Amino acid sequence: MDFLSSMKDTTGLLKTYSPRSVLLEPLLLRWVSGFLHAVLLLVLFCLWVGNKVRGDNGSGVVTKSLKCKPVLFCSLALSLLNLVLLLLSGFSWYYESGWSENDQLVSLVGLLLATVSWGTLSICLHRCSNHERTKSPFLLRLWFVLYLAVSCYSLVVDIVMYKKDETIPVHLLVYDVVSFSAALLLSYVAFFKKARGSSNGVLEEPLLNGDSSVGATLYSRAGILSLFTFSWMSPLIETGNKKALDLEDVPELHDSDSVVRLAPNFRSMLESSDGGGVTTFKLLKALFFSSHWEILVTALLAFIYSIASYVGPALIDTFVQYLNGRRQYSNEGYVLVITFFLAKLLECLAKRHWYFRLQKIGIRMRSCLVAMIYEKGLTLSCHSKKGRTSGEIINLMTVDAERVGSFCWYMHDTWLLLLQVGLAMWLLYRSLGLASIAALVATVLVMLVNIPFGKMQERFQEKLMEAKDNRMKSTSEILRNMRILKLQGWEMKFLSKIFDLRTCEEGWLKKYVYNSAVISFVFWGAPTLVSVSTFGACILLGIPLESGKTLSAIAILSTLRQPIFYLPETISMVVQTKVSLDRIASYLCQDNLQPDVVERLPKGSSDISVEVINSTLSWDVSSASPTLKDINLKVFLGMKVAVCGTVGSGKSSLLSSILGEVPKISGSLKVFGTKGYVAQSPWIQSGTIEENILFGKTMERERYEKVVEACSLSKDLEVLSFGDQTVIGERGINLSGGQKQRIQIARALYQDADIYLFDDPFSAVDAHTGSHLFKEVLLGLLSSKSVIYVTHQLEFLPSADLILVMKHGRISQAGRYNDILNSGTDFMELIGAHQEALAVVGSLDANSVSEKSALGEEDNGVGRDVIDSEGKQESQDLKNDKSDSSGEPNRQLVQEEEREKGSVSLDVYWKYITLAYGGALVPFILLAQVMFQLLQIGSNYWMAWGTPVSKDVEAHVNLSTLMIVYVALAVGSCFCILVRATLLVTAGYKTATELFHKMHRCIFRSPMSFFDSTPSGRIMNRASTDQSAVDLDIPSQFSSLAVTAIQVIGIIGVMSQVSWLVFLVFIPVVAASIWYQRYYIAAARELSRLDGVCKAPLIQHFAETISGSTTIRSFNQESRFRGDNMRLSDAYSRPKFYLAGAVEWLCFRLDMLSSFTFAFSLVFLISIPTGMIDPSLAGLAVTYGLNLSTQQAWLMWGLCNLENKIISVERILQYASVPSEPPLVIDTNRPEKSWPSHGDVDICNLQVRYAAHMPLVLRGITCTFKGGLRTGIVGRTGSGKSTLIQTLFRIVEPSSGEIRIDGVNILTIGLHDLRLRLSIIPQDPTMFEGTVRSNLDPLEEYTDDQIWEALDKCQLGDEVRKKEHKLDSSVSENGENWSMGQRQLVCLGRVLLKRSKILVLDEATASVDTSTDNLIQKTLREHFSDCTVITIAHRISSVIDSDMVLLLSNGIIEEYDSPVRLLEDKSSSLAKLVAEYTSRSSSSSD
């Protein structure tokens, strides 16, 4: 061998040199070098001990300052170089000379000392990176000088020998050059480079263990031994054994792993790439450089692991020959045992730290990507948003970023495979000669077979992700609008839509998993195929097969099994990661909002607040018809500008353009000062009311109280159990529409902006509150501010300094109220509609004295008597309510997410296993794996037994019989794998399908209270992440556990054939392993659960940010929200990081136990006298024993990992057992088809609360809505109006009392029988993604003619006919391509199609102008004249022409009578409301 020859030449020079040339002897240089490195170790040890004695818990023996990276790199490079030379020298020496030359020992010891000393110095430098001292260790500097002298002298010797024409080994020359260069650099840095803020060098004292400084963690302050053994995890695991871990128990991440530090660097790397958009390559490059140091370290560890893993197989032949009596030197057996053990030890250490650091890299990469995706969501243009729904964007974070993080497990597998195949072929060539070529060819063929499967896997993966995106998009939309679906009785129809989307997804999932099964079959059979090819080639080429060489080849191919086996998974992961990176890069390439749409200038630089000159803007730049055309506007400081116009005229778009949301085509927009924005649809964050109002600002109590009072929130806060500390549910679910709007106004006021933009906020509140808000807010607190407000309530126009009338995207009129009143027709049309509504009120008021109630004396009795009784009962109800409240402690509506504690119930495992076909496939899967293992052991035993131990021993069978039986056993084992793989994916696929359907059926059938108290992020997390785990991960986890358990049993069986004494060690080792596993699992289980629980807030915050991005940008709060996202991201990463540490903590200890078991077995084997045991059988035991530590660790890790993964099943089953609503249909009590025929609604002593721990909202209401009459319900915001309607539809079940419709108690019939017979136009106009047709008729019950007729009646027919696809015109997510008013008209169209006998209007005209409101009222009067119409409205004109008016206050009836009678009594609340409305409206008409 060339390398060994060079080593021999080097040592041989000793014999040719004279005594005078002793200084030129290389052996002397090796002695000196080894001694010098031993001194370095001593120096480091002395420094460490010295600091321990001083009690200094400082920064370490040496620390890294600004210039220390070169030192660290040099140290690591020298350690690596010495390690490579050590391994090569050791292998060469053994194979050529059998470790018999003492001269070589000197070189090996020197290289070993150099490797260890430089490695120790590297660790010191790396671990103590955050501490700096002013004093450099003198001993280290002295050592650097000596090292420079020795390396310089070695180089001089090389030069002298070269001039004397002596042969210089190349590797020694390279080594001396590198050493000298490194010594120069180290000396220069130590003496001339200054540390930051000091005059000393970069290498500083003192101690190895870091002090707990700011930001220090369990990991960052661990010592070297603690790092090696993962003992730094012990305190957390111990805590986990004492109590169930909570997030507060989990330490923070170190700064280097926190996204707060990583994200800015990642962003700068991404942006520093050559211009253009983000590409997949740029993204990959940025990800690499964000963790390049860790990636290089893991590459080194993977290299060391690969080398060490082949030491055992390479020595098996020697071991068998030793047992057969061939001894090359004394104590050879013990040397072999020590070598086996040290190789396993090195393999274990390298593997554990390799795996841990890979997971660390994965956490970093995921955090960086989540931060970038979130940041993009804050700046995405509206046009880009239309192409990507919130569900798709959330999927990028929950699935794609996670997958990129998971890819880190596989990042080194491609080059490692080449390295391991190369090592395996080299070792096979040494044992079997040219037959190794056959092994190489077979290996390459197996890899090539995977190419078509890999391509199919990529295509299936892409389609699977597309289908998943579509499903999650629909799921997200449905969860947002579940209340509407339940009111309409559509939830089961939309559930079938989800099932249809899942069916499409399942089609691709099925192809994906069955393709995976084929790949699994190919690669489980690959080692067998390679073995057959190799041994077949030996027979054909006449190469003698000996048992030692055969077993060595089997062991080598068994070691090669893992990289080949994981090749398909690696290819699949590469494919999946590429798809995910492509998707993320595509998203990051989307257009941002144009930064130059609005020129932002500071306040005071001009007397103008907003200036718009000749601006044309459009939501869709490519559209031929711009949204806003030729806009000219100038708003001076302190001006109040009102914007009015019909539905769809461009009012909201005008405000959006001032915010910079609408792309600009031409013109200029200038804004002077900060902005405050109140959206038309309230955007409320999850959190307390106080947090929503403060919105990131510090609390100033005086200003806060003023804002709360001005927004009429004081009384609301008094009613709420927790006041302003009440936690608001997702999207403000536990607040009324008016409360949400007033909180939103309060948020804007508290920001104290210079310019305020109000998008019709008064439409969501009642008339009295609207007047109060206008007076106290616009004319009060904001009297000195510039305000632009959109309104449909014309009574607010006269107070404006400037009125803009919008029509078809243009400002058709502009001026003060009186100036534009007679200057054009557009404003007059709006005024005319307003006066028409006012006339209705006026006529009733004028005729109230002479006109009698249409209901007569009897009805009067019903109304007034009820009022009297309610008045008497009110105080009693309040007392009852208080006692109810005090009976149990009040709880917030939204609670912390429930998580199981303790071990996962065996019932969860049992349900999972038996869900598919009752568990019938499980025994066959296990049987197939057992048969595979038996056939594998049988085939290997056959080869060991059938081949002779040495050439001079006769074989037991001839070669043809040997190969025929071996091939038959191999084919049988491959068939068993095919059966197992097919049955496994079949069972896994069926189970995933069943769990999905079970959970979704239960969620869709759960009561509305479940959705009120459960943020959608929690449901989405289960439908996305947990479902993905069930689809793809958990079946393979069960399989891996079963396979490993059977393999461990097989190994024990083979080893016990050698001697039963193995059990003397194995039994206590197994007991210790089980103890470790149980000790570890308590903490790991809770960390895994926390991992799941911490993900939901991150998703929820992301979803809220996307929906409220306009509001966030308008207040310039992007940086705060980025910070919140980073905080939540780190909270999600913490359990992941420490879970990774816990897993490696366990695996390291299990590996150590297995290694000692293996070493004991080897010692036992070499202690038996020769001839007492069959060397072939002993060799087979060693072959299997090599895998014992790996398999045992895999078994325990598999048990723990399965318990962690099965939590996904536990979480799905948790939501698959949510209590359901009452039945949709009760077959034994179905109402007649014509029900309700009259529409009478009788309410008797109705009491309602939203949850058992919450106060009563309706307190004993009793009244009757006569059939065919129009009843208006009015009352202050929060008085219980919407609750009454929800109870009518049984969205909320009454606590007591009953409601009868035409004599039928609605509590005794099915929910669908009730809800499908009633109609409602809800408070929040909702449209779903799809088409116009699917929005009007989701149940597909009506013809196109009927749909067109309904569209014409609701004034949308012409608008839809203008669209290219007519009824099939697309509707985007949430109907965002339709204005708020148009969405309300679509809701009107739905009830016109349905034509129910009872119609409910829940503030149905709040979002439309007065003219459109009049149209809706006219349409309803015309088409629902014989129906019972119940109207909740804030506009007096909408309810005043009703036959009856019900006035609610704090959940009780204050007044209930005809409007004429109520108006007669000037002291009635209704009369006061009408008087206020009339006076306010009259002033606008004058």
Side-chain angles (χ1 to χ4, degrees), residues 168-190:
I168 304 295
V170 176
H171 65 277
L172 290 180
L173 182 60
V174 171
Y175 178 77
D176 288 337
V177 170
V178 171
S179 298
F180 177 69
S181 304
L184 270 178
L185 178 63
L186 292 170
S187 300
Y188 172 71
V189 170

Short mmCIF file of all heavy atoms in Angstrom, two decimals, residues 168-190:
data_model
loop_
_atom_site.label_atom_id
_atom_site.label_comp_id
_atom_site.label_asym_id
_atom_site.label_seq_id
_atom_site.Cartn_x
_atom_site.Cartn_y
_atom_site.Cartn_z
N ILE A 168 10.65 12.44 0.20
CA ILE A 168 9.78 13.01 1.25
C ILE A 168 8.34 12.54 0.99
O ILE A 168 7.78 12.81 -0.07
CB ILE A 168 9.81 14.56 1.22
CG1 ILE A 168 11.25 15.06 1.34
CG2 ILE A 168 8.93 15.13 2.33
CD1 ILE A 168 11.89 14.76 2.65
N PRO A 169 7.72 11.81 1.94
CA PRO A 169 6.31 11.43 1.76
C PRO A 169 5.44 12.67 1.58
O PRO A 169 5.56 13.64 2.33
CB PRO A 169 5.97 10.69 3.06
CG PRO A 169 7.30 10.27 3.62
CD PRO A 169 8.28 11.31 3.20
N VAL A 170 4.57 12.63 0.61
CA VAL A 170 3.75 13.80 0.27
C VAL A 170 2.88 14.23 1.44
O VAL A 170 2.76 15.43 1.75
CB VAL A 170 2.86 13.49 -0.96
CG1 VAL A 170 1.94 14.67 -1.27
CG2 VAL A 170 3.74 13.19 -2.16
N HIS A 171 2.26 13.23 2.12
CA HIS A 171 1.34 13.60 3.19
C HIS A 171 2.06 14.29 4.35
O HIS A 171 1.51 15.17 5.02
CB HIS A 171 0.58 12.37 3.69
CG HIS A 171 1.44 11.34 4.34
ND1 HIS A 171 2.15 10.41 3.61
CD2 HIS A 171 1.73 11.11 5.65
CE1 HIS A 171 2.82 9.64 4.44
NE2 HIS A 171 2.58 10.03 5.68
N LEU A 172 3.34 13.91 4.60
CA LEU A 172 4.09 14.57 5.67
C LEU A 172 4.48 15.99 5.29
O LEU A 172 4.46 16.90 6.12
CB LEU A 172 5.35 13.76 6.00
CG LEU A 172 5.10 12.41 6.70
CD1 LEU A 172 6.43 11.70 6.98
CD2 LEU A 172 4.33 12.61 7.99
N LEU A 173 4.82 16.18 4.01
CA LEU A 173 5.17 17.52 3.53
C LEU A 173 3.95 18.45 3.65
O LEU A 173 4.05 19.58 4.14
CB LEU A 173 5.64 17.45 2.07
CG LEU A 173 6.08 18.79 1.46
CD1 LEU A 173 7.25 19.38 2.24
CD2 LEU A 173 6.47 18.60 -0.01
N VAL A 174 2.79 17.96 3.22
CA VAL A 174 1.55 18.75 3.33
C VAL A 174 1.25 19.08 4.80
O VAL A 174 0.90 20.21 5.15
CB VAL A 174 0.36 17.99 2.70
CG1 VAL A 174 -0.96 18.70 3.00
CG2 VAL A 174 0.56 17.86 1.19
N TYR A 175 1.41 18.06 5.64
CA TYR A 175 1.15 18.24 7.06
C TYR A 175 2.04 19.33 7.66
O TYR A 175 1.58 20.20 8.42
CB TYR A 175 1.36 16.91 7.79
CG TYR A 175 1.15 17.00 9.29
CD1 TYR A 175 -0.13 17.04 9.83
CD2 TYR A 175 2.24 17.06 10.17
CE1 TYR A 175 -0.33 17.13 11.21
CE2 TYR A 175 2.06 17.16 11.54
CZ TYR A 175 0.77 17.19 12.05
OH TYR A 175 0.58 17.29 13.41
N ASP A 176 3.35 19.31 7.32
CA ASP A 176 4.28 20.29 7.87
C ASP A 176 3.99 21.70 7.36
O ASP A 176 4.09 22.67 8.11
CB ASP A 176 5.72 19.90 7.53
CG ASP A 176 6.18 18.68 8.33
OD1 ASP A 176 5.59 18.43 9.41
OD2 ASP A 176 7.07 17.95 7.86
N VAL A 177 3.61 21.82 6.09
CA VAL A 177 3.28 23.14 5.53
C VAL A 177 2.04 23.71 6.23
O VAL A 177 2.01 24.88 6.63
CB VAL A 177 3.04 23.04 4.00
CG1 VAL A 177 2.46 24.35 3.47
CG2 VAL A 177 4.34 22.71 3.29
N VAL A 178 1.01 22.87 6.39
CA VAL A 178 -0.22 23.33 7.06
C VAL A 178 0.06 23.71 8.50
O VAL A 178 -0.42 24.74 8.99
CB VAL A 178 -1.31 22.22 6.99
CG1 VAL A 178 -2.51 22.60 7.86
CG2 VAL A 178 -1.76 22.01 5.55
N SER A 179 0.84 22.91 9.19
CA SER A 179 1.17 23.18 10.60
C SER A 179 1.90 24.51 10.74
O SER A 179 1.59 25.32 11.63
CB SER A 179 2.02 22.06 11.19
OG SER A 179 1.31 20.85 11.17
N PHE A 180 2.87 24.75 9.87
CA PHE A 180 3.64 26.00 9.95
C PHE A 180 2.74 27.21 9.67
O PHE A 180 2.81 28.22 10.38
CB PHE A 180 4.80 25.96 8.94
CG PHE A 180 5.60 27.24 8.91
CD1 PHE A 180 6.40 27.60 10.00
CD2 PHE A 180 5.53 28.09 7.81
CE1 PHE A 180 7.12 28.79 9.97
CE2 PHE A 180 6.25 29.27 7.80
CZ PHE A 180 7.05 29.63 8.87
N SER A 181 1.89 27.10 8.66
CA SER A 181 0.98 28.21 8.33
C SER A 181 0.04 28.51 9.49
O SER A 181 -0.18 29.68 9.85
CB SER A 181 0.15 27.87 7.08
OG SER A 181 0.99 27.56 5.99
N ALA A 182 -0.50 27.45 10.09
CA ALA A 182 -1.41 27.64 11.22
C ALA A 182 -0.69 28.24 12.41
O ALA A 182 -1.23 29.12 13.09
CB ALA A 182 -2.03 26.30 11.60
N ALA A 183 0.55 27.79 12.67
CA ALA A 183 1.32 28.32 13.80
C ALA A 183 1.59 29.80 13.63
O ALA A 183 1.52 30.59 14.59
CB ALA A 183 2.63 27.55 13.94
N LEU A 184 1.89 30.21 12.40
CA LEU A 184 2.11 31.64 12.12
C LEU A 184 0.86 32.45 12.45
O LEU A 184 0.92 33.50 13.12
CB LEU A 184 2.47 31.83 10.64
CG LEU A 184 3.95 31.79 10.25
CD1 LEU A 184 4.10 31.95 8.75
CD2 LEU A 184 4.72 32.90 10.97
N LEU A 185 -0.28 31.97 11.97
CA LEU A 185 -1.55 32.68 12.19
C LEU A 185 -1.88 32.77 13.68
O LEU A 185 -2.26 33.82 14.19
CB LEU A 185 -2.68 31.99 11.44
CG LEU A 185 -4.08 32.59 11.62
CD1 LEU A 185 -4.12 34.01 11.08
CD2 LEU A 185 -5.13 31.75 10.91
N LEU A 186 -1.72 31.65 14.37
CA LEU A 186 -2.03 31.62 15.81
C LEU A 186 -1.15 32.58 16.59
O LEU A 186 -1.62 33.31 17.48
CB LEU A 186 -1.88 30.20 16.35
CG LEU A 186 -2.91 29.17 15.86
CD1 LEU A 186 -2.50 27.77 16.28
CD2 LEU A 186 -4.28 29.49 16.42
N SER A 187 0.13 32.59 16.28
CA SER A 187 1.06 33.48 16.98
C SER A 187 0.73 34.93 16.69
O SER A 187 0.75 35.79 17.59
CB SER A 187 2.50 33.17 16.56
OG SER A 187 2.82 31.84 16.87
N TYR A 188 0.40 35.23 15.44
CA TYR A 188 0.07 36.61 15.06
C TYR A 188 -1.18 37.09 15.81
O TYR A 188 -1.22 38.19 16.38
CB TYR A 188 -0.17 36.67 13.55
CG TYR A 188 -0.71 38.00 13.07
CD1 TYR A 188 0.11 39.14 13.06
CD2 TYR A 188 -2.04 38.13 12.67
CE1 TYR A 188 -0.39 40.36 12.64
CE2 TYR A 188 -2.55 39.34 12.25
CZ TYR A 188 -1.71 40.46 12.24
OH TYR A 188 -2.22 41.66 11.83
N VAL A 189 -2.20 36.23 15.84
CA VAL A 189 -3.44 36.61 16.52
C VAL A 189 -3.22 36.77 18.02
O VAL A 189 -3.74 37.70 18.65
CB VAL A 189 -4.55 35.56 16.24
CG1 VAL A 189 -5.76 35.81 17.12
CG2 VAL A 189 -4.95 35.59 14.77
N ALA A 190 -2.44 35.87 18.60
CA ALA A 190 -2.24 35.89 20.05
C ALA A 190 -1.47 37.12 20.51
O ALA A 190 -1.72 37.65 21.60
CB ALA A 190 -1.51 34.63 20.49
#
